[in-house]
Amino acid sequence: MEVLQLLISGLANGCVYGLIALGFVLIYKATEAVNFAQGDFMMLGAFVTLGLVNPEYAGIPFWLALPLVFLIMGVLGYLLDIVVLRAVFGQSQVAVIIVTIALGFVIRFAVGEIWGHEPQSLRSPLALGDVRIGELVLGLADIAVIIVTLIMTFLLWQFFQRTKMGLAMQAASQNQMAAYYMGIPVKRIQGMVWALAGIVAAVAGILYASKGALDPTAGFIGIKAFAAAVIGGFGSLPGALLGGLIVGVIEPFASRYLPPGWSQIAPYALLIAVLLFRPHGLFAQVRAKKV
């Protein structure tokens, strides 16, 4: 029973890591840039939802607020690409990384100024309390997080496989020049990828906030999500989600069965091992890029 409880808790946390990791991989595949502010976008999406839903703020019903949250985060992601990232287009990858790290600090400062630095709780219908089955106590929020992540993953898979926009995104990620000559508006597609990554971050933020308190430092879990993306294979969307699940499951088991403190370093120890023995990641789709 204890093992099952730890497993479900780990899978729920891993789903959040996996969704943030999906954002990393989406942006990297489309632009070959690494957005180290993705975790802070997750936190921002959660606070935007909190600001719209909680009675002490706007007090909009949760399900009515969701489309507005996704629109706001999608627009912010798109604007980030066309206003900030294109300004450093042609610069080294280091310049892009520094810009996104700085952006993370700006987001944390802005959120702290608007909503404060004290932990707050989102009025989410996904926070359903606990259910006891014999000696097993399951958080219904954890179950809801797993179910929502499965639905989100299926919708993303359908989007990339069955829509013109999804196919265009895949083409642009493989070879931007060839995609351009085929008539695909590469710059607009890249902006849409950043918008999609913003929406995915918002979903992750809502799920994260449904499980517990939220404060501006919550964006730091993006570091674990980045580790999850590398472990799964940085160019693989399924690998990002599976890497998140692995990291999520490792933490509670390490906390329970290993000495104190090991739960914090276990994901990074696994990251080092993967980089040493399988540098492309556990589920990487390694293939030559067409030129």
Side-chain angles (χ1 to χ4, degrees):
M1 286 295 184
E2 181 184 41
V3 171
L4 181 59
Q5 190 164 332
L6 291 173
L7 179 62
I8 292 176
S9 175
L11 288 175
N13 289 335
C15 286
V16 177
Y17 299 152
L19 287 175
I20 301 172
L22 279 176
F24 277 111
V25 175
L26 280 171
I27 291 170
Y28 180 76
K29 283 175 69 68
T31 66
E32 296 187 345
V34 180
N35 177 23
F36 278 100
Q38 190 66 21
D40 296 291
F41 254 69
M42 178 279 297
M43 176 269 296
L44 178 60
F47 268 104
V48 169
T49 308
L50 182 147
L52 292 175
V53 170
N54 280 21
E56 61 269 30
Y57 298 110
I60 301 174
F62 181 85
W63 300 110
L64 293 179
L66 283 187
L68 188 56
V69 173
F70 297 151
L71 176 63
I72 292 172
M73 294 304 297
V75 169
L76 286 176
Y78 189 83
L79 290 176
L80 172 63
D81 175 54
I82 65 173
V83 175
V84 179
L85 274 302
R86 291 185 192 178
V88 294
F89 182 78
Q91 301 295 322
S92 68
Q93 290 293 323
V94 175
V96 177
I97 290 172
I98 292 173
V99 167
T100 59
I101 291 174
L103 180 65
F105 281 98
V106 171
I107 291 173
R108 288 192 292 276
F109 174 80
V111 168
E113 289 295 305
I114 297 171
W115 286 284
H117 296 274
E118 296 299 319
Q120 300 186 56
S121 297
L122 171 66
R123 299 293 182 88
S124 169
L126 300 179
L128 302 171
D130 299 327
V131 62
R132 180 179 292 274
I133 305 174
E135 297 181 358
L136 181 65
V137 179
L138 296 179
L140 292 179
D142 290 341
I143 305 297
V145 166
I146 294 171
I147 292 173
V148 171
T149 301
L150 290 174
I151 294 172
M152 184 73 181
T153 303
F154 175 76
L155 292 176
L156 283 173
W157 181 78
Q158 290 290 313
F159 172 77
F160 282 109
Q161 296 297 319
R162 299 183 181 276
T163 67
K164 290 183 178 180
M165 180 67 72
L167 293 172
M169 286 180 179
Q170 291 189 68
S173 73
Q174 286 301 304
N175 191 314
Q176 294 183 13
M177 187 63 69
Y180 176 79
Y181 285 124
M182 291 295 292
I184 295 174
V186 174
K187 287 187 177 181
R188 190 171 70 187
I189 289 295
Q190 288 181 350
M192 295 303 295
V193 168
W194 281 88
L196 180 59
I199 293 171
V200 173
V203 174
I206 293 167
L207 297 179
Y208 177 86
S210 298
K211 286 168 50 62
L214 178 71
D215 65 69
T217 63
F220 284 120
I221 71 168
I223 299 173
K224 291 182 182 177
F226 178 76
V230 175
I231 289 169
F234 210 78
S236 168
L237 291 173
L241 183 59
L242 292 171
L245 294 177
I246 290 171
V247 171
V249 169
I250 282 177
E251 287 184 317
F253 281 93
S255 178
R256 176 65 180 85
Y257 297 110
L258 294 179
W262 276 85
S263 63
Q264 297 299 316
I265 67 169
Y268 306 110
L270 176 61
L271 172 63
I272 292 172
V274 168
L275 290 175
L276 288 175
F277 298 105
R278 193 174 171 85
H280 294 291
L282 296 177
F283 309 101
Q285 300 168 339
V286 181
R287 55 186 173 187
K289 197 169 188 178
K290 296 180 181 179
V291 294

